[in-house]
Each structure stands twice: as structure tokens, then as C-alpha cells.
């Protein structure tokens, strides 16, 4: 060895290549204790102390699960909140044909208050078996947290690794429903059991149709055994709706004058003796020769309410799913078979109040789904027709005697 060789820097051993995975889990948990407890149970480990990290070691593989909760008090909490808001906004702007999946994914993200970062590394180049083992553990944790998982930051996936929605609008799923986040057991502790049963029945039916509604909507506290609307009241309301609808069709559909329109409906009013059946708003409308076209269109929608009255009176059994408007000629034909109150009340059989309350509860939750979708700038779920849903909300709440048997003009349509 020469002198020069003695001063040469010895070669360093080649650096070991490391590969890894970094993903995020978004979940509805509202406390760090809940997140950590669920992760410990899912991973079958015990993490002593009050930290927010669980580490898993297996051979040359190391996985860190670090939990965070959105809040305004800590720096981590603020960053978590920003991350949750950012992922919601990102997947809101994705263009996709899977609109119902996208809408329900946004509902899920909106209820998320927790986040888990997953940082996994292992020795050597990318290895499908090792990444499969990492994915399996991430899926177990995601399921335990009722969450959704990022995948390459290009998509959100479910616990099984199926793409819910990707940045290019693709999905592996036929449908997607947000996880169940039940309300506390004492949330409606004083409510009649039948009110809770109605809610549960409605929610189950809507989930079967892949329509999400928040579990926090109020209950309908009315009791089926209490007195409701009378047969005569409902028949009178049906007659009033028929007349208001026909008058509106004359004005806005046939472009008839006020005098011509009144000349058309006045004999029907007389036939039913209906002068006392109109609500104050309806009477003011019928007596106003200068009503606006918008008002006339609004009252033309009353055919939808008439159809519900005919269903409630047993004159039709077709309370169809509200994805279309009613059969207007058929609704008029039904009433023409009974052109007087005597004939109408003799033919009608008012449905039990329990059935009316069940339908009122269902339509209330459907209306929330329509309105909330509209607020997000999205179409109503499963091709629901929001105008039909809203009018049915009015009719069924009045029929079921909700809001202390309020008058027709005072039905609360808020959701």
C-alpha cells in the first residue's frame, strides 16, 4: 500500500433502501380517547399513557398510527380541522357520474371530527406483500373507526380497500352509505316509544333505498291513539284543494281571466258547499283578480296535496314514491265521481292516524335529504322530485295533526 492509499477515505457501506406508505383516515370520533381506544382494540395492542400514537413493529416493518381531533384550541386541532374541511371541498368539486355516492361520501366527511395519520416504512424496494400487510392493518383500523381512508392521496377508499370516489370521478361501488353514528341513548328519553319506532322504521327504509338522513332530526311526538283529523275535515280539505288547483290551472295553464276562472270553479264550490273549507290564504287568493303568475303556479302544485288527501280517504291506494308529479287528470276524475260532500263522505274511509303519522315521519326525513342536497349544490338523492316531496310534507303533516293540529296555512315545512 502506498502513502497515498493510507490517506484515502474508507468507503461507507451502501445505505439500505427504505420504502413506505403515508395515508390518512377520517372518522366521526369526537375525542382522542375514543380514537385511541378503538385503535387499541382493533390492533389488539395496549398503548400505555395518554399519548396519541400507536406503533406496530413486525420484522423490518414499522407502522405509526397517530390520532388527532379537530378543535380550535390547539395547533394540531386547527390543522386537523383544516384538513377535514379541505378534503370535503376537494371531493365536492370532483366531477363524476356517481352523484349519489359522492353526496353520501360528503355526508360522511361532514360528520368526521377525527383523523388518523398512518406512516409505515419497511426495508428494501417496494414490496406488494409488505404493502398488503400494511393495507390490511389500515383497513382494520378504518373499520373500527367507521372511517374512510385516503389511497395515494388520489382517492378515498372503504375499509375493504374499494374506491369510494377518486379524483377522476371513478368508484368501485354500486352505492355508498355513511357509517351509522347513533344519537346518545338519552337523547329522546322522554319521547313516546312509538315516535322512536317511527323514526327507526323511516331511517331503515331510506337506508334500503340508499338515501342518507341525519339521525339528529327531531321526532314526531304525536300519538296514534289521540284524536286526529275527522273524515269531514279531510273531505273538506280535498274539495278546497280541488277547487284551488282547478282555478290555478285556468289562470296559468289556460290563460283565462279572473272572471272566466271564477265562472268555471264557482259551480264546484256550490256543489261541495265549499265556501267554509278554504284556508285564509286560499280565500284571499281566490278573491284576488290580480294574483301574480308565480302565485298561480305555486297554487297549481296543490294537485299534489289533493292526491295525498285522496289516498288518505281511501279513494286511491297509490301513494307512489315521490320521483314524479301525480296523475293530475286522474286526481280530478276521482273527485268528479263524488261531486258533493254527501257523496264524498259516504265513499271515503279515512286511514288510521298511525298510518298517517308513519308517512309524515318518512316524508319529513325525505324532505331534509332534498333540502340538504340543494344546500350543497347537488341534485336530490335517488331522483326525488323536491317540489312533490315538499307538498307531500305539507299534506301529511296536516293530515297527521302535527304541530298541535295547526291550520293548513300554518304547517311548518322547515327541515
Amino acid at each position: 500500500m502506498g502513502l497515498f492509499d493510507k490517506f484515502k477515505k474508507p468507503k461507507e457501506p451502501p445505505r439500505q433502501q427504505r420504502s413506505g406508505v403515508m395515508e390518512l383516515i377520517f372518522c366521526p370520533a369526537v375525542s382522542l380517547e375514543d380514537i385511541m381506544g378503538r385503535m387499541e382494540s382493533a390492533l389488539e395492542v395496549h398503548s400505555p399513557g395518554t399519548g396519541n400514537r400507536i406503533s406496530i413493529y413486525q420484522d423490518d416493518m414499522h407502522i405509526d398510527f397517530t390520532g388527532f381531533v379537530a378543535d380550535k384550541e390547539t395547533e394540531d386541532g386547527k390543522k386537523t380541522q383544516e384538513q377535514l374541511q379541505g378534503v370535503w371541498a376537494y371531493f365536492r368539486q370532483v366531477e363524476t357520474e356517481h352523484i349519489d355516492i359522492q353526496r353520501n361520501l360528503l355526508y360522511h366527511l361532514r360528520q368526521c371530527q377525527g383523523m388518523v395519520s398512518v406512516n409505515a416504512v419497511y426495508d428494501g424496494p417496494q414490496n406488494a406483500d409488505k404493502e398488503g400487510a400494511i393495507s390490511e392493518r389500515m383497513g382494520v383500523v378504518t373499520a373500527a373507526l367507521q372511517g374512510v381512508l385516503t389511497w395515494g392521496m388520489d382517492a378515498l377508499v372503504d375499509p375493504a380497500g374499494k374506491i369510494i370516489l377518486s379524483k377522476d370521478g371513478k368508484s368501485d361501488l354500486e352505492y355508498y352509505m355513511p357509517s351509522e353514528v347513533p344519537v346518545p341513548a338519552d337523547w329522546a328519553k322522554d319521547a313516546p316509544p312509538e315516535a322512536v319506532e317511527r323514526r327507526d322504521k323511516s331511517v331503515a327504509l331510506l337506508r334500503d333505498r340508499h338515501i342518507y338522513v341525519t339521525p339528529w332530526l327531531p321526532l314526531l311526538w304525536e300519538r296514534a291513539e289521540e284524536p286526529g283529523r275527522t273524515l269531514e275535515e279531510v273531505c273538506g280539505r280535498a274539495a278546497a284543494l280541488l277547487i284551488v288547483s282547478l282555478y290555478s290551472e285556468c289562470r296559468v295553464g289556460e290563460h283565462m281571466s279572473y272572471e272566466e276562472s271564477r265562472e268555471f270553479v264557482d259551480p264546484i264550490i256550490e256543489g261541495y258547499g265549499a265556501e267554509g273549507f278554504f284556508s285564509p290564504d286560499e280565500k284571499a287568493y281566490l278573491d284576488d283578480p290580480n294574483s301574480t303568475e308565480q302565485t298561480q303556479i305555486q297554487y297549481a302544485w296543490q294537485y299534489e296535496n289533493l292526491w295525498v288527501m285522496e289516498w288518505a280517504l281511501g279513494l286511491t291506494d297509490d301513494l307512489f314514491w315521490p320521483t314524479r308529479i301525480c296523475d293530475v287528470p286522474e286526481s280530478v276524475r276521482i273527485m268528479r265521481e263524488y261531486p258533493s260532500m254527501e257523496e264524498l263522505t259516504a265513499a271515503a274511509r279515512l286511514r288510521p292516524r298511525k298510518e298517517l303519522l308513519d308517512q309524515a315521519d318518512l316524508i319529513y326525513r325525505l324532505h331534509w335529504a332534498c333540502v340538504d342536497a340543494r344546500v350543497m349544490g347537488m341534485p336530490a338523492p335517488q331522483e326525488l322530485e323536491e317540489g312533490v316531496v315538499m307538498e307531500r310534507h305539507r299534506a301529511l303533516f296536516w293530515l297527521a295533526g302535527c304541530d298541535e293540529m295547526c291550520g293548513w296555512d300554518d304547517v311548518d315545512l322547515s327541515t
Side-chain angles (χ1 to χ4, degrees):
M1 178 181 295
L3 181 62
F4 180 75
D5 293 324
K6 291 182 180 181
F7 289 94
K8 289 175 70 175
K9 186 176 181 180
K11 290 184 178 181
E12 294 182 1
R15 183 173 296 175
Q16 176 68 45
Q17 181 177 347
R18 300 277 277 172
S19 299
V21 174
M22 293 184 65
E23 303 293 353
L24 297 172
I25 300 170
F26 304 107
C27 61
V30 296
S31 72
L32 189 58
E33 291 76 15
D34 185 23
I35 291 176
M36 300 306 292
R38 287 174 182 248
M39 287 201 298
E40 287 182 5
S41 178
L43 296 169
E44 299 181 338
V45 299
H46 175 62
S47 180
T50 58
N52 66 335
R53 178 176 297 177
I54 293 177
S55 297
I56 303 293
Y57 299 90
Q58 181 178 333
D59 299 326
D60 66 342
M61 188 166 60
H62 173 202
I63 312 175
D64 284 332
F65 295 91
T66 309
F68 304 93
V69 173
D71 63 56
K72 298 179 180 179
E73 307 302 322
T74 66
E75 196 61 33
D76 281 345
K78 292 176 184 177
K79 290 180 179 178
T80 300
Q81 193 169 50
E82 291 173 1
Q83 184 72 59
L84 290 166
Q85 292 170 346
V87 73
W88 188 95
Y90 181 83
F91 283 95
R92 169 64 187 86
Q93 57 82 38
V94 167
E95 294 185 5
T96 179
E97 62 182 19
H98 303 288
I99 296 296
D100 287 317
I101 288 175
Q102 182 185 36
R103 184 190 305 103
N104 283 349
L105 173 61
L106 293 175
Y107 284 139
H108 194 146
L109 291 172
R110 195 169 67 185
Q111 68 189 17
C112 288
Q113 294 295 313
M115 182 179 76
V116 174
S117 69
V118 185
N119 188 3
V121 295
Y122 56 86
D123 293 338
Q126 285 189 314
N127 182 295
D129 290 338
K130 292 179 181 179
E131 294 197 1
I134 294 169
S135 297
E136 181 181 356
R137 284 165 175 77
M138 289 193 298
V140 167
V141 171
T142 302
L145 291 170
Q146 296 180 292
V148 294
L149 172 69
T150 61
W151 193 250
M153 302 302 175
D154 291 332
L156 289 178
V157 302
D158 67 10
K162 292 186 178 295
I163 293 174
I164 304 169
L165 190 66
S166 67
K167 69 177 183 180
D168 55 3
K170 296 180 180 179
S171 177
D172 292 337
L173 306 177
E174 292 184 10
Y175 69 90
Y176 176 76
M177 290 297 291
S179 61
E180 293 280 7
V181 183
V183 296
D186 62 350
W187 176 67
K189 62 181 179 180
D190 298 325
E194 69 179 88
V196 178
E197 292 170 8
R198 272 196 298 270
R199 187 272 312 276
D200 292 346
K201 180 180 175 182
S202 295
V203 169
L205 190 154
L206 294 175
R207 286 193 73 87
D208 285 346
R209 288 181 172 264
H210 309 150
I211 297 173
Y212 171 79
V213 293
T214 176
W216 293 94
L217 291 178
L219 302 173
L220 303 190
W221 284 50
E222 288 75 13
R223 299 174 184 267
E225 68 271 15
E226 295 173 344
R229 303 290 180 188
T230 66
L231 176 69
E232 290 73 20
E233 277 184 284
V234 180
C235 286
R237 181 95 301 266
L241 290 167
L242 171 68
I243 294 160
V244 167
S245 300
L246 287 172
Y247 171 81
S248 301
E249 188 174 356
C250 289
R251 297 300 310 272
V252 75
E254 301 300 326
H255 305 292
M256 294 165 60
S257 68
Y258 171 74
E259 292 76 16
E260 291 170 327
S261 301
R262 284 304 304 250
E263 185 177 350
F264 182 84
V265 299
D266 281 349
I268 305 173
I269 295 174
E270 184 178 351
Y272 284 109
E275 281 290 355
F277 300 155
F278 300 113
S279 72
D281 287 354
E282 288 170 338
K283 182 169 177 53
Y285 168 60
L286 289 172
D287 291 342
D288 181 7
N290 300 311
S291 59
T292 65
E293 182 178 4
Q294 183 59 42
T295 302
Q296 293 161 12
I297 292 172
Q298 174 188 336
Y299 276 98
W301 274 96
Q302 300 311 292
Y303 281 120
E304 298 300 332
N305 294 310
L306 172 59
W307 187 270
V308 178
M309 297 301 154
E310 291 170 339
W311 169 82
L313 291 168
L315 304 177
T316 179
D317 291 326
D318 185 17
L319 192 65
F320 56 90
W321 196 249
T323 53
R324 59 176 175 85
I325 63 173
C326 70
D327 186 337
V328 169
E330 177 63 10
S331 68
V332 175
R333 186 200 64 77
I334 289 172
M335 293 295 287
R336 280 179 176 164
E337 289 189 11
Y338 316 105
S340 69
M341 281 299 290
E342 292 77 11
E343 293 168 287
L344 185 57
T345 54
R349 297 291 182 272
L350 186 60
R351 295 179 187 271
R353 194 180 187 195
K354 180 183 184 303
E355 189 174 356
L356 302 178
L357 282 165
D358 285 348
Q359 290 295 333
D361 187 273
L362 177 63
I363 203 68
Y364 170 59
R365 296 173 202 286
L366 270 181
H367 196 189
W368 177 89
C370 290
V371 171
D372 206 62
R374 174 162 47 82
V375 169
M376 288 196 296
M378 305 186 75
Q382 300 296 332
E383 300 182 343
L384 290 168
E385 173 55 65
E386 184 178 350
V388 174
V389 171
M390 182 183 73
E391 295 303 336
R392 197 172 287 187
H393 181 171
R394 188 196 315 275
L396 286 166
F397 264 48
W398 182 87
L399 277 165
C402 299
D403 301 324
E404 300 180 344
M405 302 285 284
C406 67
W408 181 255
D409 294 337
D410 301 320
V411 175
D412 182 3
L413 296 181
S414 63
T415 57

